């Protein structure tokens, strides 16, 4: 419909050879005819093309068109802009309650703006002593849980750790003679040219595996997000414990057994220390299948998922947070 109306307007100006369009005015037969909006900016009578070109060169024409524009706003130009076109809708909604299955959840403003809430967790040790409190960064230990990200990271880990040393021999690598087993015709047997073929015992393997890398590509930010999600999941379940340090009195295994028995609903525990693993702790846990030790640099998503309880030292938490806040090198 708009196209048909514009064509009617074009036809109303006459044949296309008699006029041409310049800005918001039409020039026909060497004289300028301005629309009704520009009548107040120029004299009422028509003037020649030379006069119009001179006004364009001086900038008077475009200055007049700018006065008519509503797309240029100035700090003190509120009266010039129609007030009825300004939106009065609030950009940020206040806090509100959302009902879901009989429960009320408060949608806070920090969720809308993409911020996270820090967590405060008590600090203890193997003996169960109170060692104060520690604040966990919300952007590391309180991110939304996404199973698809965890699945991608675990798949990347398992594929990357494959050795890929599998190898089979082709027909050129199998040991054996290259002589033709028997003549081509006259024996009644099938024709063959080599004893090293895949159809013979001890022969080659066709299309078999060769040494290769099974690693797949995964962006660094996705890997980092997967570790954050795993840590947040353990913190949300109450299965994240923070110890002041990982010091134990002796290297006896029975000490670790007693410590794990004191933990509630713990079947498999992962101990994470900041720096190199203490030798006593390493000796005390190496004979237990349900207790494993890792340095903070080796903490990964798959190891967290294999253990239902995660125990971290203060130093390990600080190092993990620093690692998560370090910009990604591209």
């Amino acid at each position: 419909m708009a196209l048909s109306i514009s064509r009617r307007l074009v036809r109303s100006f006459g044949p296309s050879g008699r006029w041409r369009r310049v800005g918001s005015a039409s020039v026909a037969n060497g004289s300028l005819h301005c629309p009704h909006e520009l009548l107040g900016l120029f004299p009422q009578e028509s003037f020649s093309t030379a006069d119009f070109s001179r006004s364009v060169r001086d900038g008077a024409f475009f200055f007049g068109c700018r006065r008519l524009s509503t797309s240029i706003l100035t700090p003190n130009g509120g009266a010039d802009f129609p007030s009825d076109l300004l939106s009065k809708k609030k950009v940020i909604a206040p806090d509100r309650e959302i009902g879901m299955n009989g429960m009320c959840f408060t949608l806070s403003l920090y969720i809308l703006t993409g911020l996270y809430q820090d967590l405060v967790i008590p600090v203890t040790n193997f003996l169960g002593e109170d060692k104060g409190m520690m604040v966990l960064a919300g952007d590391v230990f309180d991110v939304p849980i996404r199973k698809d990200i965890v699945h991608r990271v675990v798949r990347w880990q398992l594929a990357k750790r494959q050795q890929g040393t599998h190898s089979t021999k082709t027909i050129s690598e199998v040991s054996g003679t290259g002589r033709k087993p028997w003549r081509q015709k006259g024996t009644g047997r099938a024709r063959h040219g080599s004893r090293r073929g895949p159809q013979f015992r001890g022969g080659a393997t066709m299309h078999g595996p060769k040494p290769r890398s099974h690693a797949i590509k995964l962006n660094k930010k996705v890997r980092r997000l997967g570790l954050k999600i795993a840590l947040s999941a353990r913190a949300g379940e109450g299965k994240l414990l923070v110890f002041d340090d990982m010091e134990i009195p002796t290297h006896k295994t029975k000490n670790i057994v007693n410590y794990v028995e004191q933990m509630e609903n713990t079947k498999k525990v992962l101990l994470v220390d900041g720096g190199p693993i203490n030798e006593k702790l390493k000796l005390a846990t190496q004979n237990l299948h349900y207790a494993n030790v890792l340095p903070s640099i080796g903490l990964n998503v798959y190891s967290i998922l294999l253990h239902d309880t995660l125990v971290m030292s203060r130093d390990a938490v600080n190092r993990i947070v620093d690692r998560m806040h370090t910009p990604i090198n591209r």
Side-chain angles (χ1 to χ4, degrees), residues 119 136 140-143 145 150 224-237 239-240 272 299-301 304-305 310 312 316-317 320-321 323-324:
L119 304 178
L136 303 181
V140 178
F141 293 91
D142 191 29
V143 301
I145 306 300
V150 175
R224 181 174 291 186
L225 179 59
L227 184 56
K228 292 180 180 180
I229 293 173
L231 293 173
S232 301
R234 288 293 175 259
E237 297 168 354
K239 292 293 187 177
L240 175 62
V272 182
L299 185 62
N300 58 87
V301 176
I304 295 176
L305 297 181
L310 178 62
M312 302 178 66
V317 172
I320 290 296
V321 172
R323 195 170 98 192
M324 295 295 104

PDB file of all heavy atoms in Angstrom, residues 119 136 140-143 145 150 224-237 239-240 272 299-301 304-305 310 312 316-317 320-321 323-324:
ATOM      1  N   LEU A 119      29.136 -16.125  49.419  1.00  0.00           N
ATOM      2  CA  LEU A 119      28.731 -17.105  50.417  1.00  0.00           C
ATOM      3  C   LEU A 119      29.674 -17.024  51.609  1.00  0.00           C
ATOM      4  O   LEU A 119      30.881 -16.820  51.454  1.00  0.00           O
ATOM      5  CB  LEU A 119      28.765 -18.521  49.833  1.00  0.00           C
ATOM      6  CG  LEU A 119      27.935 -18.770  48.570  1.00  0.00           C
ATOM      7  CD1 LEU A 119      28.121 -20.193  48.097  1.00  0.00           C
ATOM      8  CD2 LEU A 119      26.468 -18.473  48.810  1.00  0.00           C
ATOM      9  N   LEU A 136      33.234 -16.833  50.366  1.00  0.00           N
ATOM     10  CA  LEU A 136      33.480 -17.430  49.050  1.00  0.00           C
ATOM     11  C   LEU A 136      32.910 -16.517  47.972  1.00  0.00           C
ATOM     12  O   LEU A 136      31.776 -16.039  48.086  1.00  0.00           O
ATOM     13  CB  LEU A 136      32.839 -18.816  48.958  1.00  0.00           C
ATOM     14  CG  LEU A 136      33.270 -19.833  50.013  1.00  0.00           C
ATOM     15  CD1 LEU A 136      32.561 -21.152  49.768  1.00  0.00           C
ATOM     16  CD2 LEU A 136      34.776 -20.028  49.999  1.00  0.00           C
ATOM     17  N   VAL A 140      32.137 -17.521  41.627  1.00  0.00           N
ATOM     18  CA  VAL A 140      32.824 -18.804  41.495  1.00  0.00           C
ATOM     19  C   VAL A 140      32.048 -19.925  42.173  1.00  0.00           C
ATOM     20  O   VAL A 140      31.953 -21.033  41.634  1.00  0.00           O
ATOM     21  CB  VAL A 140      34.253 -18.715  42.079  1.00  0.00           C
ATOM     22  CG1 VAL A 140      34.964 -20.066  41.990  1.00  0.00           C
ATOM     23  CG2 VAL A 140      35.058 -17.645  41.359  1.00  0.00           C
ATOM     24  N   PHE A 141      31.458 -19.652  43.335  1.00  0.00           N
ATOM     25  CA  PHE A 141      30.806 -20.683  44.130  1.00  0.00           C
ATOM     26  C   PHE A 141      29.283 -20.539  44.172  1.00  0.00           C
ATOM     27  O   PHE A 141      28.629 -21.236  44.948  1.00  0.00           O
ATOM     28  CB  PHE A 141      31.343 -20.662  45.568  1.00  0.00           C
ATOM     29  CG  PHE A 141      32.784 -21.076  45.685  1.00  0.00           C
ATOM     30  CD1 PHE A 141      33.795 -20.134  45.617  1.00  0.00           C
ATOM     31  CD2 PHE A 141      33.131 -22.403  45.855  1.00  0.00           C
ATOM     32  CE1 PHE A 141      35.128 -20.502  45.727  1.00  0.00           C
ATOM     33  CE2 PHE A 141      34.451 -22.787  45.957  1.00  0.00           C
ATOM     34  CZ  PHE A 141      35.453 -21.837  45.893  1.00  0.00           C
ATOM     35  N   ASP A 142      28.717 -19.649  43.369  1.00  0.00           N
ATOM     36  CA  ASP A 142      27.260 -19.477  43.391  1.00  0.00           C
ATOM     37  C   ASP A 142      26.743 -19.133  42.000  1.00  0.00           C
ATOM     38  O   ASP A 142      25.938 -18.228  41.830  1.00  0.00           O
ATOM     39  CB  ASP A 142      26.869 -18.381  44.391  1.00  0.00           C
ATOM     40  CG  ASP A 142      25.372 -18.348  44.647  1.00  0.00           C
ATOM     41  OD1 ASP A 142      24.727 -19.408  44.546  1.00  0.00           O
ATOM     42  OD2 ASP A 142      24.838 -17.264  44.951  1.00  0.00           O
ATOM     43  N   VAL A 143      27.189 -19.865  40.999  1.00  0.00           N
ATOM     44  CA  VAL A 143      26.717 -19.639  39.628  1.00  0.00           C
ATOM     45  C   VAL A 143      25.569 -20.597  39.322  1.00  0.00           C
ATOM     46  O   VAL A 143      25.441 -21.649  39.963  1.00  0.00           O
ATOM     47  CB  VAL A 143      27.871 -19.826  38.611  1.00  0.00           C
ATOM     48  CG1 VAL A 143      29.004 -18.870  38.909  1.00  0.00           C
ATOM     49  CG2 VAL A 143      28.370 -21.255  38.625  1.00  0.00           C
ATOM     50  N   ILE A 145      23.413 -23.593  37.890  1.00  0.00           N
ATOM     51  CA  ILE A 145      23.805 -24.948  37.502  1.00  0.00           C
ATOM     52  C   ILE A 145      23.328 -25.225  36.084  1.00  0.00           C
ATOM     53  O   ILE A 145      22.147 -25.045  35.761  1.00  0.00           O
ATOM     54  CB  ILE A 145      23.219 -25.991  38.464  1.00  0.00           C
ATOM     55  CG1 ILE A 145      23.606 -25.640  39.902  1.00  0.00           C
ATOM     56  CG2 ILE A 145      23.698 -27.383  38.109  1.00  0.00           C
ATOM     57  CD1 ILE A 145      25.089 -25.597  40.153  1.00  0.00           C
ATOM     58  N   VAL A 150      28.482 -28.965  32.090  1.00  0.00           N
ATOM     59  CA  VAL A 150      29.233 -30.009  32.799  1.00  0.00           C
ATOM     60  C   VAL A 150      29.462 -31.211  31.884  1.00  0.00           C
ATOM     61  O   VAL A 150      30.549 -31.803  31.865  1.00  0.00           O
ATOM     62  CB  VAL A 150      28.489 -30.418  34.084  1.00  0.00           C
ATOM     63  CG1 VAL A 150      29.198 -31.582  34.777  1.00  0.00           C
ATOM     64  CG2 VAL A 150      28.373 -29.240  35.036  1.00  0.00           C
ATOM     65  N   ARG A 224      36.282 -23.125  32.107  1.00  0.00           N
ATOM     66  CA  ARG A 224      36.250 -22.392  33.373  1.00  0.00           C
ATOM     67  C   ARG A 224      34.855 -22.365  33.962  1.00  0.00           C
ATOM     68  O   ARG A 224      34.674 -22.518  35.189  1.00  0.00           O
ATOM     69  CB  ARG A 224      36.769 -20.973  33.138  1.00  0.00           C
ATOM     70  CG  ARG A 224      36.804 -20.115  34.364  1.00  0.00           C
ATOM     71  CD  ARG A 224      37.475 -18.779  34.085  1.00  0.00           C
ATOM     72  NE  ARG A 224      38.903 -18.938  33.852  1.00  0.00           N
ATOM     73  CZ  ARG A 224      39.738 -17.907  33.698  1.00  0.00           C
ATOM     74  NH1 ARG A 224      39.278 -16.660  33.750  1.00  0.00           N
ATOM     75  NH2 ARG A 224      41.023 -18.118  33.493  1.00  0.00           N
ATOM     76  N   LEU A 225      33.851 -22.186  33.119  1.00  0.00           N
ATOM     77  CA  LEU A 225      32.476 -22.184  33.607  1.00  0.00           C
ATOM     78  C   LEU A 225      32.086 -23.548  34.164  1.00  0.00           C
ATOM     79  O   LEU A 225      31.345 -23.639  35.148  1.00  0.00           O
ATOM     80  CB  LEU A 225      31.528 -21.777  32.474  1.00  0.00           C
ATOM     81  CG  LEU A 225      30.039 -21.734  32.813  1.00  0.00           C
ATOM     82  CD1 LEU A 225      29.772 -20.762  33.959  1.00  0.00           C
ATOM     83  CD2 LEU A 225      29.231 -21.343  31.589  1.00  0.00           C
ATOM     84  N   GLY A 226      32.574 -24.635  33.546  1.00  0.00           N
ATOM     85  CA  GLY A 226      32.277 -25.965  34.064  1.00  0.00           C
ATOM     86  C   GLY A 226      32.824 -26.171  35.461  1.00  0.00           C
ATOM     87  O   GLY A 226      32.156 -26.769  36.325  1.00  0.00           O
ATOM     88  N   LEU A 227      34.034 -25.682  35.741  1.00  0.00           N
ATOM     89  CA  LEU A 227      34.605 -25.803  37.084  1.00  0.00           C
ATOM     90  C   LEU A 227      33.827 -24.967  38.082  1.00  0.00           C
ATOM     91  O   LEU A 227      33.592 -25.396  39.224  1.00  0.00           O
ATOM     92  CB  LEU A 227      36.076 -25.382  37.051  1.00  0.00           C
ATOM     93  CG  LEU A 227      36.854 -25.533  38.359  1.00  0.00           C
ATOM     94  CD1 LEU A 227      36.793 -26.957  38.865  1.00  0.00           C
ATOM     95  CD2 LEU A 227      38.295 -25.092  38.178  1.00  0.00           C
ATOM     96  N   LYS A 228      33.388 -23.790  37.678  1.00  0.00           N
ATOM     97  CA  LYS A 228      32.568 -22.966  38.564  1.00  0.00           C
ATOM     98  C   LYS A 228      31.246 -23.655  38.901  1.00  0.00           C
ATOM     99  O   LYS A 228      30.788 -23.621  40.050  1.00  0.00           O
ATOM    100  CB  LYS A 228      32.299 -21.605  37.912  1.00  0.00           C
ATOM    101  CG  LYS A 228      33.512 -20.719  37.779  1.00  0.00           C
ATOM    102  CD  LYS A 228      33.125 -19.404  37.108  1.00  0.00           C
ATOM    103  CE  LYS A 228      34.328 -18.492  36.948  1.00  0.00           C
ATOM    104  NZ  LYS A 228      33.963 -17.205  36.288  1.00  0.00           N
ATOM    105  N   ILE A 229      30.643 -24.287  37.915  1.00  0.00           N
ATOM    106  CA  ILE A 229      29.369 -24.969  38.144  1.00  0.00           C
ATOM    107  C   ILE A 229      29.553 -26.145  39.095  1.00  0.00           C
ATOM    108  O   ILE A 229      28.735 -26.384  39.993  1.00  0.00           O
ATOM    109  CB  ILE A 229      28.767 -25.422  36.801  1.00  0.00           C
ATOM    110  CG1 ILE A 229      28.358 -24.209  35.971  1.00  0.00           C
ATOM    111  CG2 ILE A 229      27.584 -26.348  37.015  1.00  0.00           C
ATOM    112  CD1 ILE A 229      27.901 -24.553  34.573  1.00  0.00           C
ATOM    113  N   ALA A 230      30.630 -26.911  38.926  1.00  0.00           N
ATOM    114  CA  ALA A 230      30.888 -28.046  39.816  1.00  0.00           C
ATOM    115  C   ALA A 230      31.106 -27.579  41.253  1.00  0.00           C
ATOM    116  O   ALA A 230      30.588 -28.179  42.206  1.00  0.00           O
ATOM    117  CB  ALA A 230      32.090 -28.833  39.307  1.00  0.00           C
ATOM    118  N   LEU A 231      31.869 -26.506  41.435  1.00  0.00           N
ATOM    119  CA  LEU A 231      32.081 -25.966  42.781  1.00  0.00           C
ATOM    120  C   LEU A 231      30.774 -25.432  43.370  1.00  0.00           C
ATOM    121  O   LEU A 231      30.495 -25.620  44.563  1.00  0.00           O
ATOM    122  CB  LEU A 231      33.137 -24.867  42.733  1.00  0.00           C
ATOM    123  CG  LEU A 231      34.561 -25.297  42.378  1.00  0.00           C
ATOM    124  CD1 LEU A 231      35.455 -24.088  42.199  1.00  0.00           C
ATOM    125  CD2 LEU A 231      35.129 -26.224  43.434  1.00  0.00           C
ATOM    126  N   SER A 232      29.968 -24.773  42.535  1.00  0.00           N
ATOM    127  CA  SER A 232      28.695 -24.239  43.018  1.00  0.00           C
ATOM    128  C   SER A 232      27.732 -25.351  43.399  1.00  0.00           C
ATOM    129  O   SER A 232      26.960 -25.218  44.360  1.00  0.00           O
ATOM    130  CB  SER A 232      28.070 -23.342  41.947  1.00  0.00           C
ATOM    131  OG  SER A 232      28.933 -22.276  41.605  1.00  0.00           O
ATOM    132  N   ALA A 233      27.767 -26.458  42.660  1.00  0.00           N
ATOM    133  CA  ALA A 233      26.894 -27.582  42.981  1.00  0.00           C
ATOM    134  C   ALA A 233      27.243 -28.175  44.339  1.00  0.00           C
ATOM    135  O   ALA A 233      26.354 -28.470  45.158  1.00  0.00           O
ATOM    136  CB  ALA A 233      26.996 -28.646  41.892  1.00  0.00           C
ATOM    137  N   ARG A 234      28.535 -28.355  44.617  1.00  0.00           N
ATOM    138  CA  ARG A 234      28.939 -28.895  45.922  1.00  0.00           C
ATOM    139  C   ARG A 234      28.632 -27.907  47.044  1.00  0.00           C
ATOM    140  O   ARG A 234      28.218 -28.314  48.137  1.00  0.00           O
ATOM    141  CB  ARG A 234      30.429 -29.218  45.903  1.00  0.00           C
ATOM    142  CG  ARG A 234      30.771 -30.438  45.062  1.00  0.00           C
ATOM    143  CD  ARG A 234      30.194 -31.705  45.698  1.00  0.00           C
ATOM    144  NE  ARG A 234      30.416 -32.873  44.848  1.00  0.00           N
ATOM    145  CZ  ARG A 234      29.508 -33.418  44.071  1.00  0.00           C
ATOM    146  NH1 ARG A 234      28.288 -32.867  44.010  1.00  0.00           N
ATOM    147  NH2 ARG A 234      29.767 -34.474  43.343  1.00  0.00           N
ATOM    148  N   ALA A 235      28.803 -26.615  46.783  1.00  0.00           N
ATOM    149  CA  ALA A 235      28.474 -25.624  47.808  1.00  0.00           C
ATOM    150  C   ALA A 235      26.972 -25.571  48.068  1.00  0.00           C
ATOM    151  O   ALA A 235      26.534 -25.441  49.224  1.00  0.00           O
ATOM    152  CB  ALA A 235      28.987 -24.249  47.387  1.00  0.00           C
ATOM    153  N   GLY A 236      26.172 -25.693  47.025  1.00  0.00           N
ATOM    154  CA  GLY A 236      24.727 -25.682  47.204  1.00  0.00           C
ATOM    155  C   GLY A 236      24.197 -26.910  47.919  1.00  0.00           C
ATOM    156  O   GLY A 236      23.174 -26.841  48.621  1.00  0.00           O
ATOM    157  N   GLU A 237      24.870 -28.043  47.749  1.00  0.00           N
ATOM    158  CA  GLU A 237      24.458 -29.269  48.430  1.00  0.00           C
ATOM    159  C   GLU A 237      24.959 -29.345  49.866  1.00  0.00           C
ATOM    160  O   GLU A 237      24.588 -30.264  50.588  1.00  0.00           O
ATOM    161  CB  GLU A 237      24.993 -30.491  47.662  1.00  0.00           C
ATOM    162  CG  GLU A 237      24.437 -30.623  46.267  1.00  0.00           C
ATOM    163  CD  GLU A 237      25.200 -31.651  45.453  1.00  0.00           C
ATOM    164  OE1 GLU A 237      26.229 -32.172  45.952  1.00  0.00           O
ATOM    165  OE2 GLU A 237      24.775 -31.946  44.324  1.00  0.00           O
ATOM    166  N   LYS A 239      28.073 -29.860  50.589  1.00  0.00           N
ATOM    167  CA  LYS A 239      29.145 -30.860  50.550  1.00  0.00           C
ATOM    168  C   LYS A 239      30.511 -30.226  50.323  1.00  0.00           C
ATOM    169  O   LYS A 239      31.456 -30.925  49.968  1.00  0.00           O
ATOM    170  CB  LYS A 239      28.866 -31.880  49.439  1.00  0.00           C
ATOM    171  CG  LYS A 239      27.658 -32.769  49.709  1.00  0.00           C
ATOM    172  CD  LYS A 239      27.908 -33.695  50.884  1.00  0.00           C
ATOM    173  CE  LYS A 239      26.779 -34.688  51.053  1.00  0.00           C
ATOM    174  NZ  LYS A 239      27.057 -35.642  52.144  1.00  0.00           N
ATOM    175  N   LEU A 240      30.601 -28.931  50.508  1.00  0.00           N
ATOM    176  CA  LEU A 240      31.874 -28.235  50.396  1.00  0.00           C
ATOM    177  C   LEU A 240      32.335 -27.836  51.789  1.00  0.00           C
ATOM    178  O   LEU A 240      31.649 -27.074  52.491  1.00  0.00           O
ATOM    179  CB  LEU A 240      31.735 -26.998  49.506  1.00  0.00           C
ATOM    180  CG  LEU A 240      32.971 -26.099  49.404  1.00  0.00           C
ATOM    181  CD1 LEU A 240      34.141 -26.864  48.783  1.00  0.00           C
ATOM    182  CD2 LEU A 240      32.668 -24.845  48.597  1.00  0.00           C
ATOM    183  N   VAL A 272      41.673 -31.159  48.724  1.00  0.00           N
ATOM    184  CA  VAL A 272      42.365 -30.235  47.819  1.00  0.00           C
ATOM    185  C   VAL A 272      43.173 -29.263  48.659  1.00  0.00           C
ATOM    186  O   VAL A 272      42.614 -28.545  49.506  1.00  0.00           O
ATOM    187  CB  VAL A 272      41.373 -29.469  46.921  1.00  0.00           C
ATOM    188  CG1 VAL A 272      42.119 -28.555  45.966  1.00  0.00           C
ATOM    189  CG2 VAL A 272      40.491 -30.443  46.156  1.00  0.00           C
ATOM    190  N   LEU A 299      42.761 -29.384  40.289  1.00  0.00           N
ATOM    191  CA  LEU A 299      41.321 -29.533  40.523  1.00  0.00           C
ATOM    192  C   LEU A 299      40.571 -29.462  39.203  1.00  0.00           C
ATOM    193  O   LEU A 299      40.780 -28.554  38.405  1.00  0.00           O
ATOM    194  CB  LEU A 299      40.834 -28.440  41.468  1.00  0.00           C
ATOM    195  CG  LEU A 299      39.379 -28.516  41.907  1.00  0.00           C
ATOM    196  CD1 LEU A 299      39.108 -29.793  42.681  1.00  0.00           C
ATOM    197  CD2 LEU A 299      39.001 -27.300  42.739  1.00  0.00           C
ATOM    198  N   ASN A 300      39.679 -30.425  38.957  1.00  0.00           N
ATOM    199  CA  ASN A 300      38.950 -30.505  37.698  1.00  0.00           C
ATOM    200  C   ASN A 300      37.527 -30.961  37.938  1.00  0.00           C
ATOM    201  O   ASN A 300      37.178 -31.423  39.038  1.00  0.00           O
ATOM    202  CB  ASN A 300      39.667 -31.457  36.732  1.00  0.00           C
ATOM    203  CG  ASN A 300      39.826 -32.843  37.307  1.00  0.00           C
ATOM    204  OD1 ASN A 300      38.940 -33.691  37.177  1.00  0.00           O
ATOM    205  ND2 ASN A 300      40.947 -33.101  37.979  1.00  0.00           N
ATOM    206  N   VAL A 301      36.715 -30.828  36.924  1.00  0.00           N
ATOM    207  CA  VAL A 301      35.289 -31.125  37.038  1.00  0.00           C
ATOM    208  C   VAL A 301      35.051 -32.610  37.264  1.00  0.00           C
ATOM    209  O   VAL A 301      34.239 -33.003  38.114  1.00  0.00           O
ATOM    210  CB  VAL A 301      34.541 -30.637  35.779  1.00  0.00           C
ATOM    211  CG1 VAL A 301      33.068 -31.023  35.839  1.00  0.00           C
ATOM    212  CG2 VAL A 301      34.682 -29.136  35.628  1.00  0.00           C
ATOM    213  N   ILE A 304      35.725 -33.751  40.810  1.00  0.00           N
ATOM    214  CA  ILE A 304      34.703 -33.271  41.747  1.00  0.00           C
ATOM    215  C   ILE A 304      33.450 -34.127  41.659  1.00  0.00           C
ATOM    216  O   ILE A 304      32.827 -34.462  42.678  1.00  0.00           O
ATOM    217  CB  ILE A 304      34.387 -31.792  41.465  1.00  0.00           C
ATOM    218  CG1 ILE A 304      35.616 -30.935  41.755  1.00  0.00           C
ATOM    219  CG2 ILE A 304      33.212 -31.323  42.295  1.00  0.00           C
ATOM    220  CD1 ILE A 304      35.433 -29.468  41.413  1.00  0.00           C
ATOM    221  N   LEU A 305      33.062 -34.521  40.461  1.00  0.00           N
ATOM    222  CA  LEU A 305      31.849 -35.328  40.296  1.00  0.00           C
ATOM    223  C   LEU A 305      32.029 -36.750  40.820  1.00  0.00           C
ATOM    224  O   LEU A 305      31.047 -37.389  41.215  1.00  0.00           O
ATOM    225  CB  LEU A 305      31.450 -35.367  38.820  1.00  0.00           C
ATOM    226  CG  LEU A 305      31.075 -34.021  38.180  1.00  0.00           C
ATOM    227  CD1 LEU A 305      30.680 -34.224  36.735  1.00  0.00           C
ATOM    228  CD2 LEU A 305      29.956 -33.347  38.946  1.00  0.00           C
ATOM    229  N   LEU A 310      33.690 -32.499  48.983  1.00  0.00           N
ATOM    230  CA  LEU A 310      34.883 -31.756  48.572  1.00  0.00           C
ATOM    231  C   LEU A 310      35.409 -30.978  49.763  1.00  0.00           C
ATOM    232  O   LEU A 310      34.689 -30.171  50.364  1.00  0.00           O
ATOM    233  CB  LEU A 310      34.542 -30.803  47.421  1.00  0.00           C
ATOM    234  CG  LEU A 310      35.663 -29.920  46.898  1.00  0.00           C
ATOM    235  CD1 LEU A 310      36.803 -30.751  46.325  1.00  0.00           C
ATOM    236  CD2 LEU A 310      35.141 -28.943  45.852  1.00  0.00           C
ATOM    237  N   MET A 312      38.429 -28.428  50.940  1.00  0.00           N
ATOM    238  CA  MET A 312      39.448 -27.519  50.411  1.00  0.00           C
ATOM    239  C   MET A 312      40.052 -26.734  51.562  1.00  0.00           C
ATOM    240  O   MET A 312      39.357 -26.378  52.524  1.00  0.00           O
ATOM    241  CB  MET A 312      38.843 -26.562  49.380  1.00  0.00           C
ATOM    242  CG  MET A 312      38.173 -27.248  48.210  1.00  0.00           C
ATOM    243  SD  MET A 312      37.432 -26.063  47.045  1.00  0.00           S
ATOM    244  CE  MET A 312      38.898 -25.253  46.428  1.00  0.00           C
ATOM    245  N   ALA A 316      43.813 -23.238  49.087  1.00  0.00           N
ATOM    246  CA  ALA A 316      43.269 -23.770  47.835  1.00  0.00           C
ATOM    247  C   ALA A 316      42.112 -22.915  47.326  1.00  0.00           C
ATOM    248  O   ALA A 316      42.008 -22.645  46.121  1.00  0.00           O
ATOM    249  CB  ALA A 316      42.815 -25.213  48.038  1.00  0.00           C
ATOM    250  N   VAL A 317      41.251 -22.468  48.230  1.00  0.00           N
ATOM    251  CA  VAL A 317      40.128 -21.618  47.819  1.00  0.00           C
ATOM    252  C   VAL A 317      40.633 -20.309  47.226  1.00  0.00           C
ATOM    253  O   VAL A 317      40.154 -19.854  46.179  1.00  0.00           O
ATOM    254  CB  VAL A 317      39.192 -21.355  49.021  1.00  0.00           C
ATOM    255  CG1 VAL A 317      38.138 -20.318  48.660  1.00  0.00           C
ATOM    256  CG2 VAL A 317      38.524 -22.645  49.468  1.00  0.00           C
ATOM    257  N   ILE A 320      42.101 -20.952  43.747  1.00  0.00           N
ATOM    258  CA  ILE A 320      41.068 -21.219  42.745  1.00  0.00           C
ATOM    259  C   ILE A 320      40.357 -19.935  42.342  1.00  0.00           C
ATOM    260  O   ILE A 320      40.095 -19.680  41.158  1.00  0.00           O
ATOM    261  CB  ILE A 320      40.068 -22.261  43.274  1.00  0.00           C
ATOM    262  CG1 ILE A 320      40.729 -23.634  43.362  1.00  0.00           C
ATOM    263  CG2 ILE A 320      38.834 -22.339  42.394  1.00  0.00           C
ATOM    264  CD1 ILE A 320      41.158 -24.215  42.040  1.00  0.00           C
ATOM    265  N   VAL A 321      40.048 -19.084  43.315  1.00  0.00           N
ATOM    266  CA  VAL A 321      39.372 -17.817  43.009  1.00  0.00           C
ATOM    267  C   VAL A 321      40.272 -16.936  42.153  1.00  0.00           C
ATOM    268  O   VAL A 321      39.820 -16.304  41.186  1.00  0.00           O
ATOM    269  CB  VAL A 321      38.951 -17.110  44.305  1.00  0.00           C
ATOM    270  CG1 VAL A 321      38.437 -15.707  44.012  1.00  0.00           C
ATOM    271  CG2 VAL A 321      37.884 -17.910  45.029  1.00  0.00           C
ATOM    272  N   ARG A 323      42.550 -17.955  40.141  1.00  0.00           N
ATOM    273  CA  ARG A 323      42.609 -18.563  38.811  1.00  0.00           C
ATOM    274  C   ARG A 323      41.367 -18.260  37.997  1.00  0.00           C
ATOM    275  O   ARG A 323      41.428 -18.010  36.790  1.00  0.00           O
ATOM    276  CB  ARG A 323      42.794 -20.072  38.951  1.00  0.00           C
ATOM    277  CG  ARG A 323      43.231 -20.775  37.675  1.00  0.00           C
ATOM    278  CD  ARG A 323      43.622 -22.190  37.996  1.00  0.00           C
ATOM    279  NE  ARG A 323      42.535 -23.108  37.710  1.00  0.00           N
ATOM    280  CZ  ARG A 323      42.502 -24.376  38.109  1.00  0.00           C
ATOM    281  NH1 ARG A 323      43.480 -24.856  38.823  1.00  0.00           N
ATOM    282  NH2 ARG A 323      41.491 -25.150  37.807  1.00  0.00           N
ATOM    283  N   MET A 324      40.205 -18.251  38.639  1.00  0.00           N
ATOM    284  CA  MET A 324      38.967 -17.965  37.932  1.00  0.00           C
ATOM    285  C   MET A 324      38.863 -16.487  37.542  1.00  0.00           C
ATOM    286  O   MET A 324      38.184 -16.144  36.571  1.00  0.00           O
ATOM    287  CB  MET A 324      37.758 -18.354  38.787  1.00  0.00           C
ATOM    288  CG  MET A 324      37.641 -19.840  39.071  1.00  0.00           C
ATOM    289  SD  MET A 324      37.338 -20.848  37.590  1.00  0.00           S
ATOM    290  CE  MET A 324      38.963 -21.542  37.347  1.00  0.00           C
TER     291      MET A 324
END
